[in-house]
């Protein structure tokens, strides 16, 4: 039965969801949390035009440049696109050409008619060459199978010049080596989002290489990346010169035949890539690798079994699929990896992961993974964060890291709530004392984003640091999670220090306007004030006052008190949702999307806001808001995500909300109940127990909770405790057509009124 459930879940996934619009997902082949993300790139855009192609593929494009082996799923910025491979026929052309001028380069047209995307498998016909291309993947190996037409020369191009968010000089150095046995190895170093990132690869072919040509070019360009090299930097010359390679390999035996190409990557070296290749795929059996990828996905997706109409099944399981893309494996088969110090390290007793989009994923993705992934994987995430901190030149936990390197993207020190949430849920197979020490070190690193001033003043001053209101609010939440973990460990000294810091959000609240605002060093709020202002240089990060003023998930009761009571807070929230806002106002802002009034579901600062009605004592209002959000922000179409999926955060929100509850304050061990969107869902928990959610009478006309029971007993509160879920059992809702203001009672949400569990 479990195998059947997983296979049915696998069949429901549509990897094309999110590949159009603002979703920024990719349709290619990957296994859960794999190091390889093998996917088509439809255009290579220069940096200033690349936002829409952050994942390399856009559904509305009509050409394919090639198939590269590393991608991000759903990010708003990008890099990667490593080791692009393209099969061609006829004359060898080493330039991409103009996508609007067929035949001007090696880029080929394609159509969706012959395109297939399934978890672990992708196929397409390259129309200009008549080649059928199929892709599958293992953890460290990408496998291509090309069926060439008869009667025309067959070639495979390997282009090391291209990247997501491309610009002249981005590739600092690259190398191609064709070995006597036909194995191709190489590497490249790029100075993109993570400067100095190195990728090594090894590639083998099922047919003999009959000839080859390599084009070796050097570029000398002004360096415009970040950070710029200092004038005394010994690597300055390497920073302004780049060696870029493209190779064409000939296969005389390939016309009319199938060619299998297997590619492994490594962060350590070419020999390690070869070892990964041998360990990951010692044979040429494409179909075996494809079947193993399907089996891995079926097992992972089978963690939740649902009954729902087909469109909801497709949306739900695709969301769960996207939630299992990252963090991604970042370790060779022998346990070695490259750390933030750019040195090679050995993982001892754990699997190392990278690609931590923490500003996004601490909110719902990591809490979801604690429920649907094995405890060991979640422990490995924590141990990877701690290993990165120990190797960091700055002694801090990752902020936004990929391929072992730090980008310093976004704000906050949000590895902290990921660790605290896991610890509070009993995921503790790591050195907890070292973890708490790392968390405190990250929260005390003064040079980072106004932290010195925050520790001095209790807030980040806007006349010394941009986006100061957002930073103050997010630091305060992170501090609260440190206090939670420290208290659970018996470290009352640390708990007291950070419990006090967790109240710093109050310094940002302006009672005169009812908004969170940035103060200057002298204590005054910055003037003039415009609640709609957003963008760099404003008080806020990727949002405005209407979106950020509710970010106090650790103290909803305190936020209500600051507004003069829960009714006044909720009236202000009504203004958020009911405002008349022209989306064109923010057409220039890449991250303010999915607007419902001022509520912006396409970006993370709004994700908890609809649940605040329940947290402040009016659960029926949360139920009322969630329906339009689910209906307008998600659909089973290529443009079905209203904003960047951000390594699974948008998808995790959907999964939780469909189940009927959401973790607005990771680290609390509590979930606010919203309303269910599935008639039945069963979680197969990592501890072997099952938790089932049933919604009797649920349909579009019956969207409100009339009553609820937990394990047969009336549930008189609008929240669940984590220990209640992992103990197994049944949560049953009875649905009705009209709001029920009597459920669950006047004292429904005590944990979010700063009771003992939330202090």
């Amino acid at each position: 039965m479990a195998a059947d459930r997983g296979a049915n879940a696998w069949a429901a996934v549509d990897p094309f969801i999110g590949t159009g619009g603002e979703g920024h997902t990719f349709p290619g082949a990957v296994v859960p949390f794999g190091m390889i993300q093998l996917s088509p790139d439809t255009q290579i855009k220069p940096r200033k035009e690349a936002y829409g192609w952050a994942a390399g593929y856009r559904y509305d494009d009509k050409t394919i440049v090639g198939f590269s082996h590393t991608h991000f799923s759903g990010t708003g910025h990008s890099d990667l696109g490593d080791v692009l491979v393209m099969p061609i026929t006829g004359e060898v052309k080493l330039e991409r050409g103009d996508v609007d001028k067929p035949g001007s380069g090696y880029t080929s047209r394609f159509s969706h008619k012959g395109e297939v995307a399934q978890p672990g498998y992708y196929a397409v016909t390259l129309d200009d060459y008549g080649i059928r291309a199929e892709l599958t993947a293992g953890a460290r190996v990408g496998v291509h199978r090309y069926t060439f037409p008869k009667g025309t020369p067959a070639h495979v191009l390997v282009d090391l010049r291209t990247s997501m968010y491309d610009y002249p000089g981005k590739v600092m150095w690259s190398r191609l080596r064709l070995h006597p046995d036909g194995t191709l190895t190489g590497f490249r170093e790029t100075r993109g989002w993570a400067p100095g990132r190195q990728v090594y690869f090894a590639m083998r072919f099922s047919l003999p290489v009959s000839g080859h040509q390599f084009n070796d070019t050097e570029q000398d360009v002004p360096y415009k990346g970040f950070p710029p090299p200092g004038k005394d930097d010994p690597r300055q010359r390497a920073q302004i010169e780049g060696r870029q390679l493209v190779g064409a390999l000939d296969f005389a035996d390939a016309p009319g035949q199938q060619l299998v190409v297997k590619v492994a990557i490594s962060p350590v070296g070419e020999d390690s890539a070869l070892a990964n290749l041998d360990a990951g795929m010692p044979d040429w059996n494409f179909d075996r690798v494809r079947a193993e990828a399907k089996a891995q996905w079926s097992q992972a997706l089978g963690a939740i079994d649902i009954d729902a109409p087909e469109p909801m099944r497709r949306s739900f399981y695709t969301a769960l699929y996207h939630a299992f893309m990252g963090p991604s494996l970042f370790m060779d088969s022998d346990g070695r990896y490259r750390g933030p110090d750019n040195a090679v390290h050995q993982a001892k007793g754990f699997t190392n992961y990278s690609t931590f989009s923490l500003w996004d994923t601490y909110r719902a993705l990591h809490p979801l993974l604690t429920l649907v992934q094995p405890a060991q994987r979640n422990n490995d995430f924590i141990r990877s964060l701690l290993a990165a901190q120990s190797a960091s030149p700055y002694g801090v936990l990752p902020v936004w890291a990929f391929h072992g390197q730090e980008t310093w993207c976004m704000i906050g020190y949000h590895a902290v709530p990921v660790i605290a949430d896991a610890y509070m849920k009993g995921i503790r197979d790591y050195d907890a004392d070292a973890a708490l020490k790392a968390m405190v070190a990250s929260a005390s690193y003064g040079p980072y984003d106004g932290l010195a001033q925050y520790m001095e003043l209790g807030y980040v001053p806007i006349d010394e640091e941009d986006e100061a209101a957002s930073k103050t609010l997010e630091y305060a939440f992170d501090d609260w999670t440190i206090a939670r973990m420290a208290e659970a460990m018996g470290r009352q000294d640390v708990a007291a220090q950070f419990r006090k810091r967790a109240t710093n959000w109050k310094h940002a609240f302006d009672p005169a306007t009812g908004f969170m605002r940035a103060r200057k060093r002298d204590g005054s709020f910055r003037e003039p004030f415009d609640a709609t202002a957003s963008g760099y240089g404003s008080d806020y990060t990727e949002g405005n006052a209407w979106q950020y003023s509710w970010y106090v998930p650790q103290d909803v009761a305190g936020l209500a008190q600051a507004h003069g009571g829960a009714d006044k807070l909720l009236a202000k929230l009504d203004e958020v949702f009911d405002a008349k806002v022209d989306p064109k106002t923010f057409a220039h802002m890449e991250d303010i999307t999915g607007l419902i009034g001022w509520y912006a579901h396409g970006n993370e600062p709004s994700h908890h806001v609809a649940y605040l009605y329940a947290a402040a004592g009016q659960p029926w209002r949360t139920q009322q808001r969630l329906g339009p959000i689910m209906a307008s922000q998600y659909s089973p179409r290529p443009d079905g995500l209203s904003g960047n999926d951000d390594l699974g955060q948008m998808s995790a929100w959907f999964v939780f909300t469909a189940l009927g509850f959401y973790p607005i304050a990771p680290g609390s061990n509590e979930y606010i109940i919203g309303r269910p969107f599935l008639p039945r869902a069963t979680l197969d928990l990592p501890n072997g127990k099952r938790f089932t959610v049933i919604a009797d009478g649920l349909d579009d006309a019956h969207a409100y909770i009339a009553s609820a029971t937990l394990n047969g007993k009336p549930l008189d509160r609008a929240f669940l405790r984590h220990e209640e879920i992992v103990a197994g059992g049944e949560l049953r809702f009875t649905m009705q057509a009209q709001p029920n203001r009597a459920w669950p009672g006047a004292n429904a949400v005590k944990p979010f009124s700063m009771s003992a569990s939330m202090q």
Side-chain angles (χ1 to χ4, degrees), residues 43-74:
Q43 292 195 49
I44 303 296
K45 286 286 190 178
R47 181 168 48 185
K48 291 183 179 180
E49 303 172 25
Y51 180 76
W53 287 264
Y57 178 100
R58 283 194 70 84
Y59 191 82
D60 50 357
D61 283 343
K62 295 177 172 57
T63 61
I64 285 177
V65 176
F67 309 104
S68 61
H69 292 76
T70 58
H71 294 85
F72 292 127
S73 179

Side-chain angles (χ1 to χ4, degrees), residues 558-686:
L559 181 64
Q561 184 179 12
H563 279 271
D567 289 343
K568 291 186 178 180
L569 169 62
L570 298 181
K572 198 76 172 179
L573 292 181
D574 284 341
E575 293 182 42
V576 173
F577 284 95
D578 297 337
K580 303 301 181 183
V581 179
D582 183 358
K584 295 179 182 178
T585 304
F586 294 99
H588 66 291
M589 288 296 295
E590 295 172 341
D591 295 293
I592 299 182
T593 59
L595 286 172
I596 301 175
W598 284 115
Y599 176 85
H601 190 76
N603 207 21
E604 282 67 25
S606 289
H607 276 191
H608 70 297
V609 172
Y611 287 92
L612 291 179
Y613 290 97
Q618 296 188 7
W620 65 92
R621 303 288 300 284
T622 287
Q623 298 162 36
Q624 179 186 55
R625 295 298 185 187
L626 289 177
I629 295 173
M630 290 284 274
S632 64
Q633 307 298 300
Y634 300 89
S635 64
R637 307 189 311 262
D639 63 348
L641 295 179
S642 63
N644 312 149
D645 196 48
D646 284 320
L647 270 296
Q649 169 58 28
M650 283 277 288
S651 290
W653 188 96
F654 181 93
V655 170
F656 268 124
T657 298
L659 292 172
F661 49 90
Y662 186 79
I664 72 166
S668 69
N669 278 22
E670 291 157 346
Y671 306 81
I672 286 285
I673 291 175
R675 51 148 292 202
F677 287 82
L678 304 169
R680 176 188 290 266
T682 298
L683 282 72
D684 283 340
L685 299 162

Side-chain angles (χ1 to χ4, degrees), residues 169-190:
K170 182 174 181 178
V171 178
M172 297 165 62
W173 201 254
S174 61
R175 178 172 63 234
L176 284 171
R177 290 175 174 171
L178 185 60
H179 298 245
D181 67 352
T183 299
L184 183 70
T185 64
F187 95 107
R188 72 173 186 173
E189 184 173 1
T190 61

